[in-house]
Amino acid sequence: MGSTRTGGNTEQLARRAAAGLPEAVGQQWVRLIDLSLPGFRDLRHSGDGTYPSPGGDARRLLDATLRATDIVIASPLYWYSLSAPVKNYLDHWAGWLRVPGLEFRARMAGKTLWGVTALADQDRSVADPLVGTLRHTARYMDMRLGGVLLGNGNAPGQVLADGDALEETDTFLSDASLTAVAP
Ligand SMILES: Cc1cc2nc3c(=O)[nH]c(=O)nc-3n(C[C@H](O)[C@H](O)[C@H](O)COP(=O)(O)O)c2cc1C
């Protein structure tokens, strides 16, 4: 969950979509603003280019990421792209790829990435950069992009007036695998 407020449109849309999952599908919801995730630092070309094994909340987030078969990125549209907390989370993937012995790339390959996004603009095409980020990220990581659910709303709750988005929540995530993590 990558909104910078709780109970907003992205969260409401994501919860509607997750409500359609079968009971057998485990879910772990992670709210990024509740975590102390340090800002990513690019150490790729310093020293031997490796990253230390993360501790604290970064470790918890890494473990949740690796445990999931499906990763649902729930991010409001901020400046046509992902919110800063989500972007920082994805930036950390670049470090996790370089933690000796972690095998992050091999363990992420084959998972499914999803997106859930609320935006104020009526024109959904303004979210193309966000959709492109998730599509290219999935391809780079040998993951599958399951889909990106877009809903229109600005003040919290307005997304519930977007009939098209609500209809989509009924079938969105329907082919998700066994565990869902929504950062
Ligand atoms: C920093 C910031 C940037 C935003 N940028 C966009 C944008 O580029 N396009 C858009 O349609 N809405 C934009 N919005 C509006 C939000 O996407 C919209 O209010 C959304 O419903 C917020 O989601 P939330 O309720 O989950 O926090 C922006 C809002 C903020 C606070």
Side-chain angles (χ1 to χ4, degrees), residues 93-137:
W93 288 18
W96 297 344
L97 282 166
R98 293 168 176 83
V99 174
L102 185 61
E103 308 298 348
F104 186 69
R105 179 182 291 283
R107 292 166 74 183
M108 293 299 284
K111 296 183 192 291
T112 303
L113 191 65
W114 304 81
V116 177
T117 293
L119 66 158
D121 205 308
Q122 299 284 346
D123 177 1
R124 290 174 172 222
S125 74
V126 302
D128 286 353
L130 179 148
V131 175
T133 297
L134 295 179
R135 179 179 301 117
H136 289 294
T137 299

mmCIF file of all heavy atoms in Angstrom, residues 93-137:
data_model
loop_
_atom_site.group_PDB
_atom_site.id
_atom_site.type_symbol
_atom_site.label_atom_id
_atom_site.label_comp_id
_atom_site.label_asym_id
_atom_site.label_seq_id
_atom_site.Cartn_x
_atom_site.Cartn_y
_atom_site.Cartn_z
ATOM 1 N N TRP A 93 14.762 -2.677 -4.638
ATOM 2 C CA TRP A 93 14.953 -3.938 -5.369
ATOM 3 C C TRP A 93 16.337 -3.941 -6.035
ATOM 4 O O TRP A 93 16.967 -5.003 -6.144
ATOM 5 C CB TRP A 93 13.879 -4.125 -6.448
ATOM 6 C CG TRP A 93 12.502 -4.446 -5.938
ATOM 7 C CD1 TRP A 93 12.015 -4.257 -4.676
ATOM 8 C CD2 TRP A 93 11.418 -5.017 -6.709
ATOM 9 N NE1 TRP A 93 10.694 -4.652 -4.608
ATOM 10 C CE2 TRP A 93 10.305 -5.128 -5.835
ATOM 11 C CE3 TRP A 93 11.274 -5.421 -8.023
ATOM 12 C CZ2 TRP A 93 9.068 -5.640 -6.261
ATOM 13 C CZ3 TRP A 93 10.050 -5.936 -8.445
ATOM 14 C CH2 TRP A 93 8.964 -6.048 -7.567
ATOM 15 N N ALA A 94 16.796 -2.763 -6.494
ATOM 16 C CA ALA A 94 18.111 -2.690 -7.158
ATOM 17 C C ALA A 94 19.225 -3.083 -6.192
ATOM 18 O O ALA A 94 20.244 -3.658 -6.597
ATOM 19 C CB ALA A 94 18.347 -1.288 -7.705
ATOM 20 N N GLY A 95 19.036 -2.758 -4.907
ATOM 21 C CA GLY A 95 20.008 -3.179 -3.901
ATOM 22 C C GLY A 95 19.858 -4.658 -3.566
ATOM 23 O O GLY A 95 20.853 -5.392 -3.443
ATOM 24 N N TRP A 96 18.608 -5.093 -3.428
ATOM 25 C CA TRP A 96 18.373 -6.506 -3.072
ATOM 26 C C TRP A 96 18.894 -7.439 -4.157
ATOM 27 O O TRP A 96 19.278 -8.580 -3.866
ATOM 28 C CB TRP A 96 16.879 -6.738 -2.818
ATOM 29 C CG TRP A 96 16.349 -5.934 -1.650
ATOM 30 C CD1 TRP A 96 17.091 -5.315 -0.679
ATOM 31 C CD2 TRP A 96 14.974 -5.660 -1.331
ATOM 32 N NE1 TRP A 96 16.266 -4.674 0.216
ATOM 33 C CE2 TRP A 96 14.956 -4.863 -0.157
ATOM 34 C CE3 TRP A 96 13.755 -5.989 -1.919
ATOM 35 C CZ2 TRP A 96 13.780 -4.417 0.435
ATOM 36 C CZ3 TRP A 96 12.568 -5.550 -1.323
ATOM 37 C CH2 TRP A 96 12.595 -4.766 -0.158
ATOM 38 N N LEU A 97 18.929 -6.933 -5.417
ATOM 39 C CA LEU A 97 19.501 -7.746 -6.504
ATOM 40 C C LEU A 97 20.977 -8.005 -6.273
ATOM 41 O O LEU A 97 21.554 -8.904 -6.880
ATOM 42 C CB LEU A 97 19.330 -7.005 -7.850
ATOM 43 C CG LEU A 97 17.947 -7.050 -8.488
ATOM 44 C CD1 LEU A 97 17.842 -6.012 -9.609
ATOM 45 C CD2 LEU A 97 17.644 -8.436 -9.022
ATOM 46 N N ARG A 98 21.598 -7.186 -5.415
ATOM 47 C CA ARG A 98 23.043 -7.260 -5.220
ATOM 48 C C ARG A 98 23.426 -7.682 -3.806
ATOM 49 O O ARG A 98 24.552 -7.446 -3.381
ATOM 50 C CB ARG A 98 23.666 -5.905 -5.571
ATOM 51 C CG ARG A 98 23.535 -5.602 -7.060
ATOM 52 C CD ARG A 98 23.869 -4.172 -7.409
ATOM 53 N NE ARG A 98 23.815 -3.971 -8.855
ATOM 54 C CZ ARG A 98 22.682 -3.735 -9.550
ATOM 55 N NH1 ARG A 98 21.521 -3.634 -8.901
ATOM 56 N NH2 ARG A 98 22.708 -3.601 -10.846
ATOM 57 N N VAL A 99 22.510 -8.299 -3.090
ATOM 58 C CA VAL A 99 22.845 -8.856 -1.766
ATOM 59 C C VAL A 99 23.393 -10.266 -2.002
ATOM 60 O O VAL A 99 22.683 -11.125 -2.527
ATOM 61 C CB VAL A 99 21.604 -8.916 -0.847
ATOM 62 C CG1 VAL A 99 21.946 -9.628 0.461
ATOM 63 C CG2 VAL A 99 21.063 -7.513 -0.586
ATOM 64 N N PRO A 100 24.656 -10.499 -1.645
ATOM 65 C CA PRO A 100 25.244 -11.813 -1.915
ATOM 66 C C PRO A 100 24.422 -12.944 -1.289
ATOM 67 O O PRO A 100 24.003 -12.856 -0.127
ATOM 68 C CB PRO A 100 26.632 -11.726 -1.261
ATOM 69 C CG PRO A 100 26.946 -10.258 -1.232
ATOM 70 C CD PRO A 100 25.627 -9.571 -1.020
ATOM 71 N N GLY A 101 24.172 -13.950 -2.091
ATOM 72 C CA GLY A 101 23.482 -15.137 -1.586
ATOM 73 C C GLY A 101 21.970 -15.036 -1.546
ATOM 74 O O GLY A 101 21.281 -16.022 -1.280
ATOM 75 N N LEU A 102 21.423 -13.840 -1.782
ATOM 76 C CA LEU A 102 19.966 -13.677 -1.663
ATOM 77 C C LEU A 102 19.228 -14.263 -2.869
ATOM 78 O O LEU A 102 18.106 -14.745 -2.730
ATOM 79 C CB LEU A 102 19.625 -12.187 -1.507
ATOM 80 C CG LEU A 102 18.156 -11.834 -1.261
ATOM 81 C CD1 LEU A 102 17.646 -12.467 0.040
ATOM 82 C CD2 LEU A 102 17.956 -10.317 -1.201
ATOM 83 N N GLU A 103 19.852 -14.198 -4.027
ATOM 84 C CA GLU A 103 19.225 -14.703 -5.269
ATOM 85 C C GLU A 103 17.881 -14.034 -5.508
ATOM 86 O O GLU A 103 16.879 -14.677 -5.829
ATOM 87 C CB GLU A 103 19.043 -16.245 -5.219
ATOM 88 C CG GLU A 103 20.282 -17.030 -4.881
ATOM 89 C CD GLU A 103 21.405 -16.857 -5.900
ATOM 90 O OE1 GLU A 103 21.149 -16.318 -6.981
ATOM 91 O OE2 GLU A 103 22.537 -17.216 -5.570
ATOM 92 N N PHE A 104 17.860 -12.705 -5.317
ATOM 93 C CA PHE A 104 16.590 -11.962 -5.421
ATOM 94 C C PHE A 104 15.974 -12.117 -6.809
ATOM 95 O O PHE A 104 14.784 -12.390 -6.936
ATOM 96 C CB PHE A 104 16.835 -10.489 -5.092
ATOM 97 C CG PHE A 104 15.587 -9.651 -5.023
ATOM 98 C CD1 PHE A 104 14.668 -9.831 -3.998
ATOM 99 C CD2 PHE A 104 15.329 -8.684 -5.982
ATOM 100 C CE1 PHE A 104 13.505 -9.064 -3.931
ATOM 101 C CE2 PHE A 104 14.176 -7.904 -5.926
ATOM 102 C CZ PHE A 104 13.260 -8.094 -4.901
ATOM 103 N N ARG A 105 16.777 -11.978 -7.859
ATOM 104 C CA ARG A 105 16.210 -12.053 -9.209
ATOM 105 C C ARG A 105 15.581 -13.420 -9.469
ATOM 106 O O ARG A 105 14.448 -13.509 -9.950
ATOM 107 C CB ARG A 105 17.279 -11.763 -10.265
ATOM 108 C CG ARG A 105 16.731 -11.863 -11.695
ATOM 109 C CD ARG A 105 17.809 -11.632 -12.726
ATOM 110 N NE ARG A 105 18.276 -10.259 -12.740
ATOM 111 C CZ ARG A 105 17.617 -9.225 -13.285
ATOM 112 N NH1 ARG A 105 16.435 -9.431 -13.849
ATOM 113 N NH2 ARG A 105 18.115 -8.017 -13.251
ATOM 114 N N ALA A 106 16.312 -14.468 -9.130
ATOM 115 C CA ALA A 106 15.791 -15.812 -9.397
ATOM 116 C C ALA A 106 14.515 -16.064 -8.600
ATOM 117 O O ALA A 106 13.585 -16.729 -9.072
ATOM 118 C CB ALA A 106 16.855 -16.860 -9.051
ATOM 119 N N ARG A 107 14.444 -15.510 -7.386
ATOM 120 C CA ARG A 107 13.284 -15.775 -6.535
ATOM 121 C C ARG A 107 12.084 -14.900 -6.902
ATOM 122 O O ARG A 107 10.953 -15.224 -6.548
ATOM 123 C CB ARG A 107 13.680 -15.585 -5.064
ATOM 124 C CG ARG A 107 14.670 -16.670 -4.623
ATOM 125 C CD ARG A 107 15.348 -16.352 -3.319
ATOM 126 N NE ARG A 107 14.467 -16.529 -2.174
ATOM 127 C CZ ARG A 107 14.835 -16.243 -0.922
ATOM 128 N NH1 ARG A 107 16.058 -15.770 -0.690
ATOM 129 N NH2 ARG A 107 13.997 -16.430 0.067
ATOM 130 N N MET A 108 12.341 -13.792 -7.579
ATOM 131 C CA MET A 108 11.229 -12.941 -8.035
ATOM 132 C C MET A 108 10.674 -13.419 -9.369
ATOM 133 O O MET A 108 9.502 -13.172 -9.692
ATOM 134 C CB MET A 108 11.711 -11.489 -8.181
ATOM 135 C CG MET A 108 12.088 -10.822 -6.868
ATOM 136 S SD MET A 108 10.719 -10.732 -5.706
ATOM 137 C CE MET A 108 9.765 -9.392 -6.430
ATOM 138 N N ALA A 109 11.512 -14.109 -10.152
ATOM 139 C CA ALA A 109 11.090 -14.548 -11.483
ATOM 140 C C ALA A 109 9.864 -15.444 -11.366
ATOM 141 O O ALA A 109 9.802 -16.322 -10.497
ATOM 142 C CB ALA A 109 12.239 -15.293 -12.160
ATOM 143 N N GLY A 110 8.897 -15.211 -12.217
ATOM 144 C CA GLY A 110 7.692 -16.044 -12.235
ATOM 145 C C GLY A 110 6.575 -15.520 -11.353
ATOM 146 O O GLY A 110 5.431 -15.980 -11.444
ATOM 147 N N LYS A 111 6.872 -14.562 -10.450
ATOM 148 C CA LYS A 111 5.795 -13.966 -9.654
ATOM 149 C C LYS A 111 4.969 -13.046 -10.551
ATOM 150 O O LYS A 111 5.407 -12.666 -11.642
ATOM 151 C CB LYS A 111 6.358 -13.145 -8.490
ATOM 152 C CG LYS A 111 7.134 -13.944 -7.432
ATOM 153 C CD LYS A 111 7.569 -13.006 -6.315
ATOM 154 C CE LYS A 111 8.575 -13.632 -5.368
ATOM 155 N NZ LYS A 111 8.037 -14.701 -4.532
ATOM 156 N N THR A 112 3.797 -12.671 -10.071
ATOM 157 C CA THR A 112 2.939 -11.768 -10.847
ATOM 158 C C THR A 112 2.850 -10.418 -10.147
ATOM 159 O O THR A 112 2.644 -10.351 -8.933
ATOM 160 C CB THR A 112 1.529 -12.371 -11.009
ATOM 161 O OG1 THR A 112 1.656 -13.655 -11.622
ATOM 162 C CG2 THR A 112 0.649 -11.491 -11.890
ATOM 163 N N LEU A 113 3.039 -9.369 -10.937
ATOM 164 C CA LEU A 113 2.949 -7.997 -10.434
ATOM 165 C C LEU A 113 1.615 -7.403 -10.881
ATOM 166 O O LEU A 113 1.195 -7.591 -12.027
ATOM 167 C CB LEU A 113 4.109 -7.192 -11.031
ATOM 168 C CG LEU A 113 4.392 -5.805 -10.469
ATOM 169 C CD1 LEU A 113 4.854 -5.885 -9.013
ATOM 170 C CD2 LEU A 113 5.477 -5.116 -11.312
ATOM 171 N N TRP A 114 0.937 -6.707 -9.964
ATOM 172 C CA TRP A 114 -0.339 -6.060 -10.250
ATOM 173 C C TRP A 114 -0.246 -4.594 -9.832
ATOM 174 O O TRP A 114 0.558 -4.236 -8.974
ATOM 175 C CB TRP A 114 -1.468 -6.707 -9.439
ATOM 176 C CG TRP A 114 -1.643 -8.186 -9.608
ATOM 177 C CD1 TRP A 114 -0.925 -9.167 -8.990
ATOM 178 C CD2 TRP A 114 -2.601 -8.855 -10.437
ATOM 179 N NE1 TRP A 114 -1.378 -10.416 -9.387
ATOM 180 C CE2 TRP A 114 -2.416 -10.252 -10.273
ATOM 181 C CE3 TRP A 114 -3.613 -8.416 -11.307
ATOM 182 C CZ2 TRP A 114 -3.191 -11.199 -10.942
ATOM 183 C CZ3 TRP A 114 -4.381 -9.355 -11.959
ATOM 184 C CH2 TRP A 114 -4.176 -10.736 -11.786
ATOM 185 N N GLY A 115 -1.108 -3.774 -10.373
ATOM 186 C CA GLY A 115 -1.175 -2.382 -9.951
ATOM 187 C C GLY A 115 -2.612 -1.987 -9.648
ATOM 188 O O GLY A 115 -3.542 -2.430 -10.327
ATOM 189 N N VAL A 116 -2.775 -1.184 -8.613
ATOM 190 C CA VAL A 116 -4.077 -0.571 -8.306
ATOM 191 C C VAL A 116 -3.809 0.912 -8.085
ATOM 192 O O VAL A 116 -2.950 1.269 -7.264
ATOM 193 C CB VAL A 116 -4.731 -1.177 -7.046
ATOM 194 C CG1 VAL A 116 -6.042 -0.453 -6.716
ATOM 195 C CG2 VAL A 116 -4.988 -2.667 -7.221
ATOM 196 N N THR A 117 -4.509 1.761 -8.813
ATOM 197 C CA THR A 117 -4.181 3.187 -8.792
ATOM 198 C C THR A 117 -5.422 4.058 -8.819
ATOM 199 O O THR A 117 -6.335 3.816 -9.615
ATOM 200 C CB THR A 117 -3.327 3.538 -10.038
ATOM 201 O OG1 THR A 117 -2.078 2.884 -9.919
ATOM 202 C CG2 THR A 117 -3.080 5.019 -10.145
ATOM 203 N N ALA A 118 -5.444 5.060 -7.955
ATOM 204 C CA ALA A 118 -6.484 6.092 -8.025
ATOM 205 C C ALA A 118 -5.865 7.342 -8.613
ATOM 206 O O ALA A 118 -4.709 7.678 -8.333
ATOM 207 C CB ALA A 118 -7.030 6.385 -6.631
ATOM 208 N N LEU A 119 -6.659 8.017 -9.440
ATOM 209 C CA LEU A 119 -6.175 9.268 -10.036
ATOM 210 C C LEU A 119 -7.312 10.273 -10.119
ATOM 211 O O LEU A 119 -8.485 9.886 -10.232
ATOM 212 C CB LEU A 119 -5.579 9.019 -11.421
ATOM 213 C CG LEU A 119 -6.495 8.547 -12.554
ATOM 214 C CD1 LEU A 119 -5.852 8.876 -13.896
ATOM 215 C CD2 LEU A 119 -6.742 7.046 -12.492
ATOM 216 N N ALA A 120 -6.957 11.548 -10.054
ATOM 217 C CA ALA A 120 -7.972 12.602 -10.081
ATOM 218 C C ALA A 120 -8.448 12.884 -11.501
ATOM 219 O O ALA A 120 -9.603 13.240 -11.719
ATOM 220 C CB ALA A 120 -7.402 13.875 -9.456
ATOM 221 N N ASP A 121 -7.559 12.705 -12.448
ATOM 222 C CA ASP A 121 -7.858 13.045 -13.837
ATOM 223 C C ASP A 121 -8.906 12.082 -14.403
ATOM 224 O O ASP A 121 -8.841 10.874 -14.159
ATOM 225 C CB ASP A 121 -6.551 12.938 -14.650
ATOM 226 C CG ASP A 121 -6.570 13.813 -15.884
ATOM 227 O OD1 ASP A 121 -7.541 13.713 -16.656
ATOM 228 O OD2 ASP A 121 -5.615 14.573 -16.073
ATOM 229 N N GLN A 122 -9.841 12.619 -15.184
ATOM 230 C CA GLN A 122 -10.844 11.756 -15.821
ATOM 231 C C GLN A 122 -10.231 10.959 -16.972
ATOM 232 O O GLN A 122 -10.759 9.924 -17.366
ATOM 233 C CB GLN A 122 -11.997 12.611 -16.376
ATOM 234 C CG GLN A 122 -12.750 13.421 -15.330
ATOM 235 C CD GLN A 122 -13.709 12.568 -14.504
ATOM 236 O OE1 GLN A 122 -14.015 11.437 -14.868
ATOM 237 N NE2 GLN A 122 -14.164 13.101 -13.381
ATOM 238 N N ASP A 123 -9.138 11.464 -17.492
ATOM 239 C CA ASP A 123 -8.485 10.816 -18.635
ATOM 240 C C ASP A 123 -7.492 9.776 -18.112
ATOM 241 O O ASP A 123 -6.419 10.114 -17.633
ATOM 242 C CB ASP A 123 -7.768 11.893 -19.462
ATOM 243 C CG ASP A 123 -7.000 11.296 -20.630
ATOM 244 O OD1 ASP A 123 -7.043 10.062 -20.819
ATOM 245 O OD2 ASP A 123 -6.348 12.083 -21.345
ATOM 246 N N ARG A 124 -7.871 8.499 -18.227
ATOM 247 C CA ARG A 124 -7.037 7.437 -17.673
ATOM 248 C C ARG A 124 -5.674 7.330 -18.367
ATOM 249 O O ARG A 124 -4.744 6.758 -17.793
ATOM 250 C CB ARG A 124 -7.760 6.094 -17.791
ATOM 251 C CG ARG A 124 -8.952 5.979 -16.882
ATOM 252 C CD ARG A 124 -9.705 4.702 -17.164
ATOM 253 N NE ARG A 124 -10.739 4.488 -16.160
ATOM 254 C CZ ARG A 124 -11.006 3.322 -15.609
ATOM 255 N NH1 ARG A 124 -10.333 2.251 -15.959
ATOM 256 N NH2 ARG A 124 -11.955 3.207 -14.701
ATOM 257 N N SER A 125 -5.570 7.865 -19.584
ATOM 258 C CA SER A 125 -4.302 7.715 -20.309
ATOM 259 C C SER A 125 -3.168 8.476 -19.623
ATOM 260 O O SER A 125 -1.995 8.206 -19.885
ATOM 261 C CB SER A 125 -4.445 8.167 -21.764
ATOM 262 O OG SER A 125 -4.499 9.574 -21.834
ATOM 263 N N VAL A 126 -3.509 9.425 -18.718
ATOM 264 C CA VAL A 126 -2.419 10.136 -18.033
ATOM 265 C C VAL A 126 -1.656 9.194 -17.094
ATOM 266 O O VAL A 126 -0.570 9.525 -16.621
ATOM 267 C CB VAL A 126 -2.897 11.407 -17.272
ATOM 268 C CG1 VAL A 126 -3.586 12.383 -18.204
ATOM 269 C CG2 VAL A 126 -3.768 11.055 -16.075
ATOM 270 N N ALA A 127 -2.248 8.014 -16.818
ATOM 271 C CA ALA A 127 -1.560 7.033 -15.964
ATOM 272 C C ALA A 127 -0.638 6.122 -16.777
ATOM 273 O O ALA A 127 -0.036 5.196 -16.222
ATOM 274 C CB ALA A 127 -2.577 6.189 -15.199
ATOM 275 N N ASP A 128 -0.491 6.395 -18.075
ATOM 276 C CA ASP A 128 0.365 5.534 -18.909
ATOM 277 C C ASP A 128 1.793 5.392 -18.362
ATOM 278 O O ASP A 128 2.357 4.296 -18.414
ATOM 279 C CB ASP A 128 0.422 6.055 -20.358
ATOM 280 C CG ASP A 128 -0.877 5.789 -21.116
ATOM 281 O OD1 ASP A 128 -1.760 5.093 -20.573
ATOM 282 O OD2 ASP A 128 -1.016 6.297 -22.246
ATOM 283 N N PRO A 129 2.412 6.491 -17.846
ATOM 284 C CA PRO A 129 3.777 6.303 -17.311
ATOM 285 C C PRO A 129 3.820 5.303 -16.150
ATOM 286 O O PRO A 129 4.750 4.496 -16.060
ATOM 287 C CB PRO A 129 4.179 7.713 -16.853
ATOM 288 C CG PRO A 129 3.357 8.622 -17.720
ATOM 289 C CD PRO A 129 2.025 7.910 -17.882
ATOM 290 N N LEU A 130 2.805 5.346 -15.274
ATOM 291 C CA LEU A 130 2.766 4.382 -14.159
ATOM 292 C C LEU A 130 2.602 2.963 -14.692
ATOM 293 O O LEU A 130 3.303 2.040 -14.273
ATOM 294 C CB LEU A 130 1.621 4.743 -13.197
ATOM 295 C CG LEU A 130 1.428 3.826 -11.986
ATOM 296 C CD1 LEU A 130 0.899 4.624 -10.791
ATOM 297 C CD2 LEU A 130 0.473 2.673 -12.264
ATOM 298 N N VAL A 131 1.674 2.799 -15.622
ATOM 299 C CA VAL A 131 1.442 1.463 -16.191
ATOM 300 C C VAL A 131 2.715 0.974 -16.880
ATOM 301 O O VAL A 131 3.119 -0.187 -16.723
ATOM 302 C CB VAL A 131 0.249 1.492 -17.178
ATOM 303 C CG1 VAL A 131 0.083 0.141 -17.864
ATOM 304 C CG2 VAL A 131 -1.040 1.890 -16.451
ATOM 305 N N GLY A 132 3.384 1.878 -17.601
ATOM 306 C CA GLY A 132 4.623 1.507 -18.282
ATOM 307 C C GLY A 132 5.715 1.115 -17.290
ATOM 308 O O GLY A 132 6.462 0.164 -17.530
ATOM 309 N N THR A 133 5.786 1.837 -16.169
ATOM 310 C CA THR A 133 6.786 1.498 -15.148
ATOM 311 C C THR A 133 6.574 0.072 -14.639
ATOM 312 O O THR A 133 7.516 -0.712 -14.528
ATOM 313 C CB THR A 133 6.708 2.489 -13.967
ATOM 314 O OG1 THR A 133 7.029 3.791 -14.446
ATOM 315 C CG2 THR A 133 7.661 2.109 -12.851
ATOM 316 N N LEU A 134 5.314 -0.260 -14.360
ATOM 317 C CA LEU A 134 5.038 -1.610 -13.844
ATOM 318 C C LEU A 134 5.282 -2.660 -14.928
ATOM 319 O O LEU A 134 5.820 -3.734 -14.644
ATOM 320 C CB LEU A 134 3.602 -1.692 -13.319
ATOM 321 C CG LEU A 134 3.305 -0.810 -12.091
ATOM 322 C CD1 LEU A 134 1.844 -0.963 -11.669
ATOM 323 C CD2 LEU A 134 4.226 -1.156 -10.916
ATOM 324 N N ARG A 135 4.899 -2.336 -16.170
ATOM 325 C CA ARG A 135 5.095 -3.312 -17.257
ATOM 326 C C ARG A 135 6.585 -3.589 -17.465
ATOM 327 O O ARG A 135 7.023 -4.735 -17.517
ATOM 328 C CB ARG A 135 4.472 -2.789 -18.550
ATOM 329 C CG ARG A 135 4.679 -3.762 -19.718
ATOM 330 C CD ARG A 135 4.066 -3.292 -21.022
ATOM 331 N NE ARG A 135 2.638 -3.096 -20.896
ATOM 332 C CZ ARG A 135 2.015 -1.924 -21.050
ATOM 333 N NH1 ARG A 135 2.717 -0.848 -21.345
ATOM 334 N NH2 ARG A 135 0.719 -1.830 -20.905
ATOM 335 N N HIS A 136 7.381 -2.521 -17.538
ATOM 336 C CA HIS A 136 8.822 -2.703 -17.781
ATOM 337 C C HIS A 136 9.508 -3.343 -16.580
ATOM 338 O O HIS A 136 10.443 -4.135 -16.739
ATOM 339 C CB HIS A 136 9.473 -1.366 -18.119
ATOM 340 C CG HIS A 136 9.078 -0.857 -19.476
ATOM 341 N ND1 HIS A 136 9.423 -1.482 -20.646
ATOM 342 C CD2 HIS A 136 8.336 0.208 -19.844
ATOM 343 C CE1 HIS A 136 8.926 -0.826 -21.682
ATOM 344 N NE2 HIS A 136 8.253 0.209 -21.220
ATOM 345 N N THR A 137 9.056 -2.986 -15.372
ATOM 346 C CA THR A 137 9.634 -3.590 -14.165
ATOM 347 C C THR A 137 9.387 -5.097 -14.168
ATOM 348 O O THR A 137 10.293 -5.891 -13.890
ATOM 349 C CB THR A 137 9.024 -2.954 -12.900
ATOM 350 O OG1 THR A 137 9.338 -1.559 -12.902
ATOM 351 C CG2 THR A 137 9.575 -3.587 -11.631
#
